[in-house]
Amino acid sequence: MDLATLIGIFGCAGAVFYGIVSGDQGMAALGNFWDQASILITVIGSFMCLMTMSESIGDFVGSLKTFLLTTKVMESSEGETIHTIIDLANVARKEGLLQLEEAAGDINDEFLKKGIMLIVDGTDQELVTSILETELAYIEQRHSKKVAFWDNLAAMGPAWGMIGTLIGLINMLKLLDDPSTIGPNMAVALITTLYGSLLANWIAIPVATKLRARNRKEIMLKEVVCEGILSIQAGENPRVIEEKLKSFLAPSARNEVLGGNEQGGDA
């Protein structure tokens, strides 16, 4: 479980809660911030609009489920992936490319396994490059589509909040002959704007930002795999491959990730 996501979400909720109850009314002030019609307009309106924009209901539900990805810890596997590639490079250098088929049987990374099987089958290097780059582009495209869902929600929340506010103001203006209704009606009108701002800044923007960061990390890892596979196919020295793959990492992470690697190839 990703504690950063959970602490952030509940921390924001706690800050808003404290801001509401810290006034003279105390806990009784919570009732001022509950309005069923405003929730219906802002939250339901925003999500229904997103459903309209989705290709299908299944696509809409699938995009919603990506929220769960932000609650899971994304284990860093750069070091493991690079070690695996170097091990495969050693096998290819000492025993030949055909021996990689057996070594690939223990690999869990389907992208890496696919690349290895392509070079084992004797696929031309340009074609291997094209296949892997095409798959990488479509992975990023699918990820971008899910991120765009939350970006759109961040835009829809305040927009539908403003729609609710306008509805409330219209109702208020209809009753201007009764001054006692102005205050309560204005408060209800403003609640929808609050709901829209919370939906955007509490949920949608943080989720989109985190998914975007995870996409960058996954794409970088797959670029490491692509570079490693093409280097193995080209018959490069495992030590050279290691140095090449280390360039994908931040300088501070290189020793930590690969410091224990002593499996460089023979000179």
PDB file of all heavy atoms in Angstrom, residues 24-50:
ATOM      1  N   ASP A  24     -16.728  29.248  15.327  1.00  0.00           N
ATOM      2  CA  ASP A  24     -17.570  29.373  16.512  1.00  0.00           C
ATOM      3  C   ASP A  24     -18.644  28.282  16.577  1.00  0.00           C
ATOM      4  O   ASP A  24     -19.054  27.878  17.669  1.00  0.00           O
ATOM      5  CB  ASP A  24     -18.249  30.757  16.538  1.00  0.00           C
ATOM      6  CG  ASP A  24     -17.236  31.869  16.711  1.00  0.00           C
ATOM      7  OD1 ASP A  24     -16.131  31.592  17.241  1.00  0.00           O
ATOM      8  OD2 ASP A  24     -17.536  33.010  16.296  1.00  0.00           O
ATOM      9  N   GLN A  25     -19.082  27.783  15.423  1.00  0.00           N
ATOM     10  CA  GLN A  25     -20.151  26.786  15.420  1.00  0.00           C
ATOM     11  C   GLN A  25     -19.665  25.383  15.792  1.00  0.00           C
ATOM     12  O   GLN A  25     -20.463  24.531  16.169  1.00  0.00           O
ATOM     13  CB  GLN A  25     -20.812  26.730  14.034  1.00  0.00           C
ATOM     14  CG  GLN A  25     -21.682  27.925  13.713  1.00  0.00           C
ATOM     15  CD  GLN A  25     -22.362  27.754  12.368  1.00  0.00           C
ATOM     16  OE1 GLN A  25     -21.749  27.915  11.324  1.00  0.00           O
ATOM     17  NE2 GLN A  25     -23.637  27.423  12.396  1.00  0.00           N
ATOM     18  N   GLY A  26     -18.381  25.153  15.666  1.00  0.00           N
ATOM     19  CA  GLY A  26     -17.845  23.826  15.983  1.00  0.00           C
ATOM     20  C   GLY A  26     -18.364  22.760  15.030  1.00  0.00           C
ATOM     21  O   GLY A  26     -18.523  22.998  13.834  1.00  0.00           O
ATOM     22  N   MET A  27     -18.684  21.588  15.572  1.00  0.00           N
ATOM     23  CA  MET A  27     -19.137  20.467  14.756  1.00  0.00           C
ATOM     24  C   MET A  27     -20.459  20.765  14.043  1.00  0.00           C
ATOM     25  O   MET A  27     -20.748  20.178  12.999  1.00  0.00           O
ATOM     26  CB  MET A  27     -19.300  19.219  15.634  1.00  0.00           C
ATOM     27  CG  MET A  27     -17.996  18.718  16.245  1.00  0.00           C
ATOM     28  SD  MET A  27     -16.816  18.120  15.019  1.00  0.00           S
ATOM     29  CE  MET A  27     -17.630  16.615  14.502  1.00  0.00           C
ATOM     30  N   ALA A  28     -21.222  21.676  14.617  1.00  0.00           N
ATOM     31  CA  ALA A  28     -22.501  22.024  13.998  1.00  0.00           C
ATOM     32  C   ALA A  28     -22.317  22.654  12.624  1.00  0.00           C
ATOM     33  O   ALA A  28     -23.229  22.635  11.796  1.00  0.00           O
ATOM     34  CB  ALA A  28     -23.275  22.980  14.911  1.00  0.00           C
ATOM     35  N   ALA A  29     -21.116  23.178  12.358  1.00  0.00           N
ATOM     36  CA  ALA A  29     -20.853  23.817  11.071  1.00  0.00           C
ATOM     37  C   ALA A  29     -20.834  22.811   9.918  1.00  0.00           C
ATOM     38  O   ALA A  29     -20.978  23.199   8.755  1.00  0.00           O
ATOM     39  CB  ALA A  29     -19.526  24.572  11.119  1.00  0.00           C
ATOM     40  N   LEU A  30     -20.658  21.539  10.230  1.00  0.00           N
ATOM     41  CA  LEU A  30     -20.630  20.527   9.174  1.00  0.00           C
ATOM     42  C   LEU A  30     -21.917  20.531   8.350  1.00  0.00           C
ATOM     43  O   LEU A  30     -21.899  20.288   7.145  1.00  0.00           O
ATOM     44  CB  LEU A  30     -20.392  19.137   9.775  1.00  0.00           C
ATOM     45  CG  LEU A  30     -18.992  18.856  10.335  1.00  0.00           C
ATOM     46  CD1 LEU A  30     -18.965  17.508  11.041  1.00  0.00           C
ATOM     47  CD2 LEU A  30     -17.956  18.886   9.215  1.00  0.00           C
ATOM     48  N   GLY A  31     -23.023  20.814   9.033  1.00  0.00           N
ATOM     49  CA  GLY A  31     -24.300  20.856   8.328  1.00  0.00           C
ATOM     50  C   GLY A  31     -24.370  21.944   7.277  1.00  0.00           C
ATOM     51  O   GLY A  31     -25.121  21.837   6.300  1.00  0.00           O
ATOM     52  N   ASN A  32     -23.552  22.992   7.459  1.00  0.00           N
ATOM     53  CA  ASN A  32     -23.553  24.082   6.481  1.00  0.00           C
ATOM     54  C   ASN A  32     -22.931  23.668   5.147  1.00  0.00           C
ATOM     55  O   ASN A  32     -23.135  24.342   4.133  1.00  0.00           O
ATOM     56  CB  ASN A  32     -22.773  25.290   7.035  1.00  0.00           C
ATOM     57  CG  ASN A  32     -23.379  25.837   8.307  1.00  0.00           C
ATOM     58  OD1 ASN A  32     -24.582  25.696   8.553  1.00  0.00           O
ATOM     59  ND2 ASN A  32     -22.556  26.473   9.133  1.00  0.00           N
ATOM     60  N   PHE A  33     -22.144  22.601   5.199  1.00  0.00           N
ATOM     61  CA  PHE A  33     -21.396  22.203   4.002  1.00  0.00           C
ATOM     62  C   PHE A  33     -21.963  20.943   3.353  1.00  0.00           C
ATOM     63  O   PHE A  33     -21.289  20.308   2.544  1.00  0.00           O
ATOM     64  CB  PHE A  33     -19.921  21.987   4.369  1.00  0.00           C
ATOM     65  CG  PHE A  33     -19.216  23.261   4.732  1.00  0.00           C
ATOM     66  CD1 PHE A  33     -19.285  23.758   6.025  1.00  0.00           C
ATOM     67  CD2 PHE A  33     -18.513  23.978   3.781  1.00  0.00           C
ATOM     68  CE1 PHE A  33     -18.651  24.943   6.365  1.00  0.00           C
ATOM     69  CE2 PHE A  33     -17.881  25.153   4.112  1.00  0.00           C
ATOM     70  CZ  PHE A  33     -17.953  25.642   5.408  1.00  0.00           C
ATOM     71  N   TRP A  34     -23.157  20.593   3.713  1.00  0.00           N
ATOM     72  CA  TRP A  34     -23.823  19.444   3.090  1.00  0.00           C
ATOM     73  C   TRP A  34     -25.048  19.916   2.339  1.00  0.00           C
ATOM     74  O   TRP A  34     -25.931  20.546   2.902  1.00  0.00           O
ATOM     75  CB  TRP A  34     -24.222  18.411   4.151  1.00  0.00           C
ATOM     76  CG  TRP A  34     -25.085  17.311   3.574  1.00  0.00           C
ATOM     77  CD1 TRP A  34     -26.449  17.213   3.616  1.00  0.00           C
ATOM     78  CD2 TRP A  34     -24.645  16.189   2.834  1.00  0.00           C
ATOM     79  NE1 TRP A  34     -26.879  16.094   2.960  1.00  0.00           N
ATOM     80  CE2 TRP A  34     -25.779  15.435   2.463  1.00  0.00           C
ATOM     81  CE3 TRP A  34     -23.386  15.728   2.448  1.00  0.00           C
ATOM     82  CZ2 TRP A  34     -25.703  14.258   1.730  1.00  0.00           C
ATOM     83  CZ3 TRP A  34     -23.303  14.556   1.724  1.00  0.00           C
ATOM     84  CH2 TRP A  34     -24.457  13.830   1.370  1.00  0.00           C
ATOM     85  N   ASP A  35     -25.051  19.639   1.048  1.00  0.00           N
ATOM     86  CA  ASP A  35     -26.224  19.963   0.244  1.00  0.00           C
ATOM     87  C   ASP A  35     -26.348  18.908  -0.845  1.00  0.00           C
ATOM     88  O   ASP A  35     -25.481  18.801  -1.718  1.00  0.00           O
ATOM     89  CB  ASP A  35     -26.098  21.359  -0.384  1.00  0.00           C
ATOM     90  CG  ASP A  35     -27.375  21.760  -1.105  1.00  0.00           C
ATOM     91  OD1 ASP A  35     -28.361  22.092  -0.425  1.00  0.00           O
ATOM     92  OD2 ASP A  35     -27.385  21.708  -2.349  1.00  0.00           O
ATOM     93  N   GLN A  36     -27.401  18.124  -0.775  1.00  0.00           N
ATOM     94  CA  GLN A  36     -27.579  16.986  -1.674  1.00  0.00           C
ATOM     95  C   GLN A  36     -27.670  17.423  -3.135  1.00  0.00           C
ATOM     96  O   GLN A  36     -27.083  16.784  -4.022  1.00  0.00           O
ATOM     97  CB  GLN A  36     -28.835  16.209  -1.277  1.00  0.00           C
ATOM     98  CG  GLN A  36     -29.002  14.894  -2.014  1.00  0.00           C
ATOM     99  CD  GLN A  36     -30.142  14.069  -1.443  1.00  0.00           C
ATOM    100  OE1 GLN A  36     -30.690  14.391  -0.396  1.00  0.00           O
ATOM    101  NE2 GLN A  36     -30.497  13.004  -2.143  1.00  0.00           N
ATOM    102  N   ALA A  37     -28.391  18.496  -3.399  1.00  0.00           N
ATOM    103  CA  ALA A  37     -28.543  18.971  -4.776  1.00  0.00           C
ATOM    104  C   ALA A  37     -27.195  19.394  -5.359  1.00  0.00           C
ATOM    105  O   ALA A  37     -26.898  19.142  -6.538  1.00  0.00           O
ATOM    106  CB  ALA A  37     -29.536  20.122  -4.831  1.00  0.00           C
ATOM    107  N   SER A  38     -26.364  20.026  -4.523  1.00  0.00           N
ATOM    108  CA  SER A  38     -25.047  20.466  -4.989  1.00  0.00           C
ATOM    109  C   SER A  38     -24.154  19.273  -5.331  1.00  0.00           C
ATOM    110  O   SER A  38     -23.404  19.308  -6.312  1.00  0.00           O
ATOM    111  CB  SER A  38     -24.375  21.322  -3.913  1.00  0.00           C
ATOM    112  OG  SER A  38     -25.112  22.497  -3.675  1.00  0.00           O
ATOM    113  N   ILE A  39     -24.240  18.233  -4.515  1.00  0.00           N
ATOM    114  CA  ILE A  39     -23.472  17.016  -4.805  1.00  0.00           C
ATOM    115  C   ILE A  39     -23.927  16.406  -6.121  1.00  0.00           C
ATOM    116  O   ILE A  39     -23.115  15.991  -6.965  1.00  0.00           O
ATOM    117  CB  ILE A  39     -23.620  16.003  -3.661  1.00  0.00           C
ATOM    118  CG1 ILE A  39     -22.934  16.531  -2.395  1.00  0.00           C
ATOM    119  CG2 ILE A  39     -23.032  14.650  -4.053  1.00  0.00           C
ATOM    120  CD1 ILE A  39     -23.100  15.637  -1.193  1.00  0.00           C
ATOM    121  N   LEU A  40     -25.231  16.356  -6.305  1.00  0.00           N
ATOM    122  CA  LEU A  40     -25.782  15.780  -7.527  1.00  0.00           C
ATOM    123  C   LEU A  40     -25.303  16.540  -8.759  1.00  0.00           C
ATOM    124  O   LEU A  40     -24.863  15.941  -9.746  1.00  0.00           O
ATOM    125  CB  LEU A  40     -27.311  15.802  -7.456  1.00  0.00           C
ATOM    126  CG  LEU A  40     -28.049  15.186  -8.644  1.00  0.00           C
ATOM    127  CD1 LEU A  40     -27.777  13.690  -8.711  1.00  0.00           C
ATOM    128  CD2 LEU A  40     -29.544  15.435  -8.540  1.00  0.00           C
ATOM    129  N   ILE A  41     -25.340  17.875  -8.677  1.00  0.00           N
ATOM    130  CA  ILE A  41     -24.937  18.687  -9.832  1.00  0.00           C
ATOM    131  C   ILE A  41     -23.440  18.555 -10.091  1.00  0.00           C
ATOM    132  O   ILE A  41     -23.011  18.296 -11.224  1.00  0.00           O
ATOM    133  CB  ILE A  41     -25.309  20.168  -9.599  1.00  0.00           C
ATOM    134  CG1 ILE A  41     -26.823  20.337  -9.566  1.00  0.00           C
ATOM    135  CG2 ILE A  41     -24.691  21.049 -10.686  1.00  0.00           C
ATOM    136  CD1 ILE A  41     -27.267  21.715  -9.126  1.00  0.00           C
ATOM    137  N   THR A  42     -22.646  18.735  -9.047  1.00  0.00           N
ATOM    138  CA  THR A  42     -21.194  18.813  -9.235  1.00  0.00           C
ATOM    139  C   THR A  42     -20.553  17.454  -9.473  1.00  0.00           C
ATOM    140  O   THR A  42     -19.868  17.247 -10.480  1.00  0.00           O
ATOM    141  CB  THR A  42     -20.541  19.471  -8.009  1.00  0.00           C
ATOM    142  OG1 THR A  42     -21.186  20.723  -7.745  1.00  0.00           O
ATOM    143  CG2 THR A  42     -19.065  19.708  -8.255  1.00  0.00           C
ATOM    144  N   VAL A  43     -20.750  16.525  -8.552  1.00  0.00           N
ATOM    145  CA  VAL A  43     -20.058  15.233  -8.636  1.00  0.00           C
ATOM    146  C   VAL A  43     -20.670  14.351  -9.724  1.00  0.00           C
ATOM    147  O   VAL A  43     -19.973  13.882 -10.632  1.00  0.00           O
ATOM    148  CB  VAL A  43     -20.086  14.515  -7.269  1.00  0.00           C
ATOM    149  CG1 VAL A  43     -19.376  13.155  -7.369  1.00  0.00           C
ATOM    150  CG2 VAL A  43     -19.421  15.382  -6.201  1.00  0.00           C
ATOM    151  N   ILE A  44     -21.977  14.141  -9.625  1.00  0.00           N
ATOM    152  CA  ILE A  44     -22.633  13.279 -10.617  1.00  0.00           C
ATOM    153  C   ILE A  44     -22.552  13.904 -12.005  1.00  0.00           C
ATOM    154  O   ILE A  44     -22.292  13.211 -13.002  1.00  0.00           O
ATOM    155  CB  ILE A  44     -24.099  13.012 -10.227  1.00  0.00           C
ATOM    156  CG1 ILE A  44     -24.178  12.379  -8.830  1.00  0.00           C
ATOM    157  CG2 ILE A  44     -24.761  12.104 -11.251  1.00  0.00           C
ATOM    158  CD1 ILE A  44     -23.402  11.085  -8.693  1.00  0.00           C
ATOM    159  N   GLY A  45     -22.754  15.224 -12.083  1.00  0.00           N
ATOM    160  CA  GLY A  45     -22.668  15.905 -13.373  1.00  0.00           C
ATOM    161  C   GLY A  45     -21.302  15.738 -14.013  1.00  0.00           C
ATOM    162  O   GLY A  45     -21.196  15.465 -15.214  1.00  0.00           O
ATOM    163  N   SER A  46     -20.241  15.883 -13.216  1.00  0.00           N
ATOM    164  CA  SER A  46     -18.874  15.744 -13.742  1.00  0.00           C
ATOM    165  C   SER A  46     -18.627  14.335 -14.269  1.00  0.00           C
ATOM    166  O   SER A  46     -18.095  14.147 -15.377  1.00  0.00           O
ATOM    167  CB  SER A  46     -17.854  16.070 -12.641  1.00  0.00           C
ATOM    168  OG  SER A  46     -17.947  17.408 -12.234  1.00  0.00           O
ATOM    169  N   PHE A  47     -19.013  13.327 -13.480  1.00  0.00           N
ATOM    170  CA  PHE A  47     -18.760  11.949 -13.891  1.00  0.00           C
ATOM    171  C   PHE A  47     -19.630  11.532 -15.077  1.00  0.00           C
ATOM    172  O   PHE A  47     -19.187  10.777 -15.946  1.00  0.00           O
ATOM    173  CB  PHE A  47     -18.962  10.994 -12.713  1.00  0.00           C
ATOM    174  CG  PHE A  47     -17.792  10.955 -11.780  1.00  0.00           C
ATOM    175  CD1 PHE A  47     -17.854  11.568 -10.532  1.00  0.00           C
ATOM    176  CD2 PHE A  47     -16.620  10.316 -12.143  1.00  0.00           C
ATOM    177  CE1 PHE A  47     -16.767  11.537  -9.669  1.00  0.00           C
ATOM    178  CE2 PHE A  47     -15.528  10.295 -11.290  1.00  0.00           C
ATOM    179  CZ  PHE A  47     -15.592  10.904 -10.049  1.00  0.00           C
ATOM    180  N   MET A  48     -20.845  12.027 -15.135  1.00  0.00           N
ATOM    181  CA  MET A  48     -21.683  11.707 -16.279  1.00  0.00           C
ATOM    182  C   MET A  48     -21.144  12.344 -17.557  1.00  0.00           C
ATOM    183  O   MET A  48     -21.226  11.768 -18.646  1.00  0.00           O
ATOM    184  CB  MET A  48     -23.123  12.175 -16.030  1.00  0.00           C
ATOM    185  CG  MET A  48     -23.868  11.372 -14.970  1.00  0.00           C
ATOM    186  SD  MET A  48     -23.985   9.575 -15.353  1.00  0.00           S
ATOM    187  CE  MET A  48     -22.652   8.920 -14.316  1.00  0.00           C
ATOM    188  N   CYS A  49     -20.586  13.528 -17.425  1.00  0.00           N
ATOM    189  CA  CYS A  49     -19.980  14.175 -18.578  1.00  0.00           C
ATOM    190  C   CYS A  49     -18.779  13.366 -19.065  1.00  0.00           C
ATOM    191  O   CYS A  49     -18.581  13.176 -20.268  1.00  0.00           O
ATOM    192  CB  CYS A  49     -19.549  15.586 -18.204  1.00  0.00           C
ATOM    193  SG  CYS A  49     -18.979  16.575 -19.598  1.00  0.00           S
ATOM    194  N   LEU A  50     -17.976  12.857 -18.116  1.00  0.00           N
ATOM    195  CA  LEU A  50     -16.826  12.021 -18.477  1.00  0.00           C
ATOM    196  C   LEU A  50     -17.278  10.712 -19.117  1.00  0.00           C
ATOM    197  O   LEU A  50     -16.615  10.201 -20.025  1.00  0.00           O
ATOM    198  CB  LEU A  50     -15.979  11.731 -17.238  1.00  0.00           C
ATOM    199  CG  LEU A  50     -15.154  12.909 -16.715  1.00  0.00           C
ATOM    200  CD1 LEU A  50     -14.492  12.537 -15.396  1.00  0.00           C
ATOM    201  CD2 LEU A  50     -14.098  13.320 -17.730  1.00  0.00           C
TER     202      LEU A  50
END
